[in-house]
Amino acid sequence: MKKVLNILLGVLMVVTVALLAYAIISGGSEAAVSLNLIWGYALLLAGVAAAIGGAIYNMVQSPAGAKSSLLSCVLILVVIAVAYFISAGHTVNIVDLQNNGFFSHTETVITETCVLVSYVAFAVAVLTALVTEIWAAFK
């Protein structure tokens, strides 16, 4: 299985480098940029699907770990809900240069929710790394 995954990783890397080279050689043409964006979205979607699929597989294999996995999912949903309610509670004016105005309230709420969730995820990642290193130092 590991050999298959290594081959798949190699293929994905070759495709990514080829698309990047195509974008550079074409001088950043609209078609090359669009193709690279689609590829990036496909990789992102595959990563999310793999993460969710792996979590479900581990829950099925180890029912004891299911409780902590469900608790993690609930915590993530709580963070998203709090970020949404903070974002929906006030109006942010984000300039829309293309239409010479401002984005609608719905679009700004979604954007601010994503930004707040990203901040929380970054802070949790940094704190986890620090606590793990400190914990390992005292062992």
Side-chain angles (χ1 to χ4, degrees):
M1 182 67 169
K2 187 173 181 176
K3 189 173 184 176
V4 171
L5 290 177
N6 284 338
I7 292 171
L8 179 62
L9 177 62
V11 169
L12 292 175
M13 289 173 64
V14 167
V15 170
T16 302
V17 169
L19 287 174
L20 180 63
Y22 170 56
I24 291 171
I25 291 170
S26 70
S29 69
E30 188 173 328
V33 171
S34 295
L35 196 57
N36 275 284
L37 282 173
I38 291 169
W39 180 247
Y41 289 140
L43 289 177
L44 179 67
L45 183 62
V48 169
I52 292 172
I56 291 171
Y57 179 76
N58 282 338
M59 284 190 334
V60 170
Q61 293 296 322
S62 173
K67 187 167 81 171
S68 64
S69 295
L70 289 176
L71 181 63
S72 298
C73 288
V74 168
L75 185 60
I76 290 169
L77 290 175
V78 166
V79 168
I80 292 171
V82 168
Y84 175 79
F85 288 121
I86 289 172
S87 301
H90 62 281
T91 301
V92 176
N93 290 326
I94 300 175
V95 178
D96 182 4
L97 296 175
Q98 188 174 14
N99 296 321
N100 201 17
F102 296 100
F103 285 102
S104 69
H105 182 66
T106 304
E107 293 168 331
T108 58
V109 167
I110 292 171
T111 301
E112 190 175 358
T113 300
C114 292
V115 169
L116 291 174
V117 170
S118 298
Y119 288 163
V120 171
F122 177 73
V124 169
V126 168
L127 286 174
T128 301
L130 288 174
V131 169
T132 302
E133 288 299 319
I134 292 170
W135 188 268
F138 287 114
K139 273 191 169 184

